[in-house]
Amino acid sequence: MTPSPRSAALAPAVLALAAGLLAVPAPAVAAPTTAPSAATTALPATGSWGAPWCRLPETVPLPTGSLPEGIAGGRGTTFYAGSRADGSVVVGDLRTGESRPLVAGVEGRVAVGMTYEARADRLWVAGGATGAVTAYDGTTGAELGRWVVPGSGFLNDVEVTRDGVYVTDSAVQRLVVLPLGRRGALPGPDGATTLPITGDLVYGAGFNANGIRAYRDALVVTQSSTGDLFRVDPRTGVSDRIEVSGRDLTGGDGLVLRGRTLHVVYGFSTDSAAVVRLSPDGRSGEVVGEVGDPDLDRPTTGILAAGALWLVNGRFAVAEPATAEYQVVRVDLR
């Protein structure tokens, strides 16, 4: 997940981004957003959660001025979306199009990439230029832990495995790691570690390691500035380039993975997501298609739910972001 602009030089981009994020006034969290789009489409009989008569909204509204970027899929059609303005989080239902506040905003906080850990009902949130990783209770929104990692550049996206939580830093060539103990026990306040990235992935100007997803025994990471995909060993940090044939993936942001199908979301080149078919060992892949929707406006990342791909509209080019409308957009897969 990467705020605009992604093509700027590394150090100035990160510093300017941090200043811009913290300067945005925190929007008021008012009544829950409840108005789904009037335009709906019947869910095919093969949908994962309902019968053919069930209907899904084309767009799901998010709080005005929330500056969303990250989204995580919970149980069923539950979703979570965060705010770059104040770190607040809403929880909603893609089936009904309704959402409500889950985590209140705090001045100076930022919510960027996020993921939901179903086994422990925990929501993990990357804090961008604040250098923080925060865990919340997925039901109550209670803060379970917060780790601020010194020397961080821009903590961007999050993935959880059986052994730990891995966070990309788009400005510093390393992963932030929160080891998980027996039965998923959280580390102590000083328990965050860092794992230098070595091998094929070499940082340069612009945003580097961005989206991250676990595949087989490795972590798949996209480098936004080059468009390359890499396998990163979660134990050693050694990276190997994934040989991908097909269209250029430069500018890729969030990653959505199910099975061997990887969606690489674009918010600054096209309002769409490339569809990559990975090899069984994850060492190669092929771009086999692209999906999009007219309602998309600088999408950042997404989730798969109810037989569709749902992408967050980051709307980074909007003139007045603090008063702008934001949405999660349903993209039908074909």
Side-chain angles (χ1 to χ4, degrees), residues 5-66:
R6 302 185 189 184
S7 59
L10 177 61
V14 174
L15 293 176
L17 178 61
L21 290 174
L22 298 178
V24 176
V29 179
T33 305
T34 57
S37 169
T40 58
T41 299
L43 181 67
T46 56
S48 61
W49 59 267
W53 48 264
C54 296
R55 300 173 71 84
L56 295 170
E58 290 186 353
T59 63
V60 175
L62 296 175
T64 299
S66 60

Side-chain angles (χ1 to χ4, degrees), residues 228-243:
D228 292 319
L229 295 173
F230 298 88
R231 296 175 73 256
V232 179
D233 189 311
R235 298 164 300 172
T236 66
V238 175
S239 63
D240 297 292
R241 180 177 288 102
I242 299 173
E243 299 300 327

Side-chain angles (χ1 to χ4, degrees), residues 71 96 171 229:
I71 187 172
T96 65
L229 295 173

Side-chain angles (χ1 to χ4, degrees), residues 27-221:
V29 179
T33 305
T34 57
S37 169
T40 58
T41 299
L43 181 67
T46 56
S48 61
W49 59 267
W53 48 264
C54 296
R55 300 173 71 84
L56 295 170
E58 290 186 353
T59 63
V60 175
L62 296 175
T64 299
S66 60
L67 284 74
E69 181 162 355
I71 187 172
R75 295 186 173 97
T77 52
T78 300
F79 76 94
Y80 303 88
S83 168
R84 290 180 289 120
D86 60 4
S88 59
V89 178
V90 297
V91 59
D93 190 328
L94 298 170
R95 179 175 55 85
T96 65
E98 299 177 352
S99 65
R100 61 176 175 81
L102 178 72
V103 176
V106 176
E107 184 177 358
R109 289 200 178 188
V110 174
V112 193
M114 56 177 58
T115 195
Y116 177 72
E117 183 188 5
R119 64 178 179 178
D121 189 29
R122 291 190 294 228
L123 181 69
W124 293 90
V125 180
T130 67
V133 183
T134 308
Y136 297 103
D137 185 291
T139 301
T140 67
E143 184 175 306
L144 304 176
R146 181 175 174 84
W147 299 264
V148 179
V149 185
S152 297
F154 191 88
L155 301 189
N156 211 326
D157 203 1
V158 191
E159 179 64 307
V160 181
T161 71
R162 181 181 62 183
D163 301 319
V165 180
Y166 295 84
V167 186
T168 54
D169 190 324
S170 295
V172 181
Q173 192 165 322
R174 67 186 189 186
L175 297 175
V176 168
V177 183
L178 293 167
L180 296 177
R182 187 179 180 183
R183 297 181 180 176
L186 296 174
D190 299 321
T193 64
T194 58
L195 179 66
I197 298 174
T198 61
D200 292 343
L201 202 172
V202 178
Y203 276 32
F207 278 84
N208 291 278
N210 196 330
I212 181 172
R213 287 295 172 259
Y215 182 73
R216 305 291 183 176
D217 58 348
L219 300 166
V220 175
V221 173

Side-chain angles (χ1 to χ4, degrees), residues 321-334:
T323 58
E325 301 295 324
Y326 295 92
Q327 312 84 20
V328 179
V329 178
R330 191 193 80 226
V331 178
D332 294 325
L333 301 177
R334 51 185 184 274

